Amino acid sequence: MAFGAEELRVLRRALALALHPGRTSAEDVQDCLRLAESLDEAIHEGVRLRAFLLADLDRYRAALPGTAAGYFALLEEALGAAYRPVPDDLAALRALRGNPRAAALLERCRTLAEQDVRARFAQGARRVPAPAVPPARTRLLALAGGAAHRSGDAGKEPPKPAPKPAPAERPDPATTPKRPIPTPGEVFPRRKPPAPPHQLVC
């Protein structure tokens, strides 16, 4: 991104105001606002042009090997704009390694890929592990009423268990009146023999 003479003047004035704040004229404020708007437009335009460049790169890569010359030019331009090669780029360059230009680009892309891998490993090693929950706190939370030990429930008393229902009283056999035991004759009464049928006299 290049600045013109007028833009550099406004930028120097804005830096001076940031380092030595004081009374600022309305003209300086307007100049700084216009410069900020210009920077925003330049950033948006750069993002749009980068998106077009990467879309063209994908199209040329998909049409290889017939578009090798155009693909090499687009890849070099993208690498100059801080583009990081993807596995598809490495695979395409390996397939064209017989071309000296492809071999040089492949070596450059491999170096950038290795740098990215090292940076990711270094960033992962610098990560601070999350503090583990002490075993005692884990056991407390797992028990009934352990939720009261959480930070949101601090100071609250654990809920009291519900009272158990009283067992049903069994009748005392000494006070319960006994029923008389039935005799076999009452349980199985004797059947009367059936009466003989009446004979009809002609």
Side-chain angles (χ1 to χ4, degrees):
M1 183 181 296
F3 291 98
E6 186 65 21
E7 292 171 338
L8 288 176
R9 185 191 66 80
V10 177
L11 184 59
R12 283 196 298 267
R13 180 61 179 158
L15 292 175
L17 292 174
L19 294 174
H20 306 286
R23 298 186 63 181
T24 307
S25 63
E27 183 181 357
D28 289 337
V29 173
Q30 292 299 325
D31 290 341
C32 291
L33 291 176
R34 281 193 292 269
L35 178 61
E37 291 176 358
S38 300
L39 289 175
D40 290 339
E41 291 178 2
I43 291 172
H44 291 319
E45 183 67 16
V47 171
R48 190 174 65 86
L49 293 176
R50 179 183 173 86
F52 281 131
L53 174 62
L54 296 183
D56 287 341
L57 183 65
D58 290 341
R59 284 193 293 269
Y60 275 75
R61 184 175 57 228
L64 287 173
T67 56
Y71 172 69
F72 295 153
L74 289 173
L75 182 58
E76 289 175 346
E77 184 180 354
L79 293 176
Y83 170 73
R84 285 298 180 263
V86 296
D88 289 342
D89 293 319
L90 297 176
L93 293 174
R94 288 192 195 99
L96 301 171
R97 75 178 83 190
N99 187 311
R101 193 174 178 185
L105 281 171
L106 178 60
E107 188 64 26
R108 182 179 176 184
C109 290
R110 280 177 175 171
T111 303
L112 292 174
E114 291 175 359
Q115 292 175 358
D116 290 344
V117 171
R118 292 195 194 98
R120 283 195 294 269
F121 275 120
Q123 184 178 5
R126 288 196 298 267
R127 290 178 181 173
V128 180
V133 180
R137 177 67 63 102
T138 305
R139 285 195 294 270
L140 284 174
L141 294 176
L143 295 174
H149 295 275
R150 296 175 184 172
S151 59
D153 298 335
K156 296 182 180 179
E157 296 182 358
K160 297 181 180 180
K164 296 182 179 180
E169 297 182 359
R170 296 183 179 180
D172 190 359
T175 59
T176 304
K178 295 182 179 180
R179 297 178 59 186
I181 300 175
T183 61
E186 294 175 351
V187 177
F188 305 103
R190 294 180 62 183
R191 293 183 179 181
K192 296 181 180 180
H198 297 286
Q199 295 182 357
L200 298 176
V201 180
C202 297

